[in-house]
Amino acid sequence: MQREQMVQRLREQYQTQTPWDIVVVGGGATGVGVAVDAAARGLSVALVEAHDFGKGTSSRSTKLVHGGVRYLEQGNIPLVMSALKERGLLRQNAPHLVHDLAFVVPNYSWWEAPFYGIGLKLYDLLAGKYGFGASKLLSKDETLARLPALEPEGLIGGVVYYDGQFDDSRLNIHLAMTAADHGAALVNYCPAIGLLKDAEGYVNGLTARDALTGEQFTIHARVVVNATGVFTDSVRRMADASVEPMMVTSQGIHLVFDRSFLAGDTALMVPRTSDGRVLFVIPWHDHAVAGTTDTPVDAPSLEPRPMEEEVEFVLETAGRYFTRPPSRKDVLAVYTGLRPLVKADSKGEGKTSALSRDHVIHVDSSGLLTITGGKWTTYRHMAEDCVDHAITLGRLPDLDCATKNLKIHGYAEEPVGLGAADEHFAVYGSDTEAIAELARDPALAQRLHSDLPYIAAEVVWAARNEMAQTVEDVLARRTRALFLNSGAAREMAEPVARLLAGELGHDEVWIGAQITEFQTLTESYRVL
Ligand SMILES: Cc1cc2nc3c(=O)[nH]c(=O)nc-3n(C[C@H](O)[C@H](O)[C@H](O)COP(=O)(O)OP(=O)(O)OC[C@H]3O[C@@H](n4cnc5c(N)ncnc54)[C@H](O)[C@@H]3O)c2cc1C
C-alpha cells in the first residue's frame, strides 16, 4: 500500500471523468470497514483520511472484541448478540489479530457468584455457535491461581468468562490494506475540505487537500459516506450549515503499567465501579492496561487529554483489587479516546454511559450518508448496513456483501516467520516473513529501545508498505510504543525519524521537526 500510487489513482479517476461509486470520509474502523465492504462487493471506492488511518478513536479503545457484558446488564440483548456474532467472525477472519482472553470477575460478597455466574452463562448462551469458551465459577484458590496479584483479603471466589482481544490500530491498518488489496484507493493526510453538489443540490462528491503537498483533489462519487466519528457533525455542516447536531462526545482514558501488576495471562473485570461502569485490567503486548472512564466533553479533538480526576479514578478503582496497588509513578503511559455517541431523543438528560452503543445510519436532505456510533467489534456489520443503504441511495449495482468470510490482510492461523520466535511480530500475520527478510540486514535487526521489542525493520516496512509518513504514525499506530511506554517512545523518536527520512527522502530539517513534534506529543501520554 503506497501513498503516491493511491494519490495517482485519485488523479486518474478525475481525469477519466468517472465518478467513484462511493467516497468515504474518515479512515477509522468505520470508514475503512465501509471501504473493505464496498471494494469486496466490486464497487469502486475511494477513502480520504484527514490525519493518519486510526488516528482518532480507533487506536484508543480498550482492545476488546466483545459482546459487551455491560450492555447485557442494560438489557440490550440484540446489541450483545450481534456483537458476539461479529466477535466470532472477526476471530475467524483475522486470527493473527484477535485471540481469546480469559476474564475473571472476583467475588468479595456472597451474592456476586450466583449473580454474575448466571449473567455470564446467559452471555455464553447468546454467543451460540460463536462462543469462545464456557464461563464457570471459581474457588478462592482457583481465582488467585489465575490472578496471583489479586487482593486475597475478603475474597470468596470468582467467575471466569471468555472474550476476544486485539490490537486496534493494527487491525485498522490491515483493513485499509484489505480494501487496497480489493482495489480501493485510500489516502491518509488528506482531509475533506468541502462537499460538491449537483444542480439539484444533492451531494455528489467532495474536495480534499493533500496535507503533505498542498495538492487539491476533486472527487466525484455517486454516494458520499461520512464516517468521521466524533467529527460527524462538522462534515454534515459542509453540506448544510444549519443541520441539527446529532452527536455527543464522551472520553475514556486508560493507564498502562508494567505487566507485573497483573501477573498471569488472565484479565480482571470489575463489574460495577463507584460510577456504575465496568473497569478492566487486561494484559496487552506484555503490559497491563487499566480502563476506562466515561466523561462528557464539550468539543471533539484529535488529541484529547486525560483529566486529573479520571487518572485518580482509575488508579483508585484498580488499586483496590491488587496487593500492590499501582501509583502514579508506575504509569508508563496514559491514552485517551473519544466516544462518538448519537444523541438520545430526549435531549439534555442522563449520563453519556447510558446512551446507546448501537450504530446509526442517517441520510441528510442533501443526500449525505452518515454512519456513526457502534463499536470496533461491530465494524463489519456496520459496514454491511451502510453499503446496503449506499446501494439504494446511489442506485448502484445490487451486489451482495462479501465480508462474512473474507480473510483480512495478514491472515495466518499460526504465527509465521519471526512471529513464531517473538510474540510481538504475530500481529503482522503473513507479512512477518517479509519483515524477517528485511531483518537479515543486521542494521535493521537492531532493537529501537531496550524496554520495547520493536526493531528497525518494522519502521522500514511501515514506510514502504503501510503508508507511514511520520514518526508518530510509526510509534503510535504501526507499532504501539507510544501507548505502551511514552517515555521509551520519546527516546525512540530520533532513530525512527532517521530511518523514515531515509525511506521517504527527507532532510535534516524534517528530521529535527519530526523529533520535536513527536516529543511534544508524548507529553499528552504521560501522567505527572
Ligand atoms: C475509551 C474507549 C474505549 C473503547 N473500547 C472499545 C473496545 O474495547 N471494543 C470495541 O469494540 N469498541 C470500543 N470502543 C469503541 C470504538 O473504539 C469506536 O466505536 C470506533 O473506534 C469508532 O471508529 P470511527 O471510525 O467511527 O471513528 P474514528 O476512529 O474517530 O475515525 C474517524 C476518522 O475521521 C477522520 N476525519 C475527521 N474529519 C475528517 C475530514 N474532514 N476528512 C477526512 N477525515 C476526517 C478522523 O481523523 C478520524 O481518523 C471504545 C471507545 C472508546 C472511546
Side-chain angles (χ1 to χ4, degrees), residues 155-170:
L155 183 71
I156 297 171
V159 187
V160 62
Y161 74 97
Y162 298 86
D163 242 327
Q165 190 188 34
F166 75 136
D167 182 328
D168 49 12
S169 66
R170 174 67 26 208

Side-chain angles (χ1 to χ4, degrees), residues 309-392:
E309 53 273 31
E310 293 179 288
V311 174
E312 276 304 314
F313 174 81
V314 175
L315 278 177
E316 206 265 322
T317 309
R320 272 192 235 157
Y321 290 84
F322 293 108
T323 43
R324 182 167 60 107
S327 70
R328 303 178 83 83
K329 66 175 177 27
D330 299 313
V331 178
L332 297 175
V334 52
Y335 65 87
T336 311
L338 297 181
R339 290 182 189 81
L341 298 171
V342 180
K343 275 188 178 179
D345 287 341
S346 47
K347 287 184 192 136
E349 46 105 1
K351 294 177 171 181
T352 45
S353 58
L355 289 182
S356 171
R357 265 52 172 176
D358 288 327
H359 74 268
V360 167
I361 305 243
H362 176 89
V363 183
D364 279 304
S365 54
S366 61
L368 176 68
L369 177 59
T370 289
I371 171 145
T372 192
K375 339 179 328 142
W376 233 124
T377 308
T378 55
Y379 85 91
R380 193 210 63 83
H381 174 59
M382 292 167 66
E384 179 178 358
D385 198 9
C386 179
V387 176
D388 283 347
H389 279 79
I391 284 173
T392 307

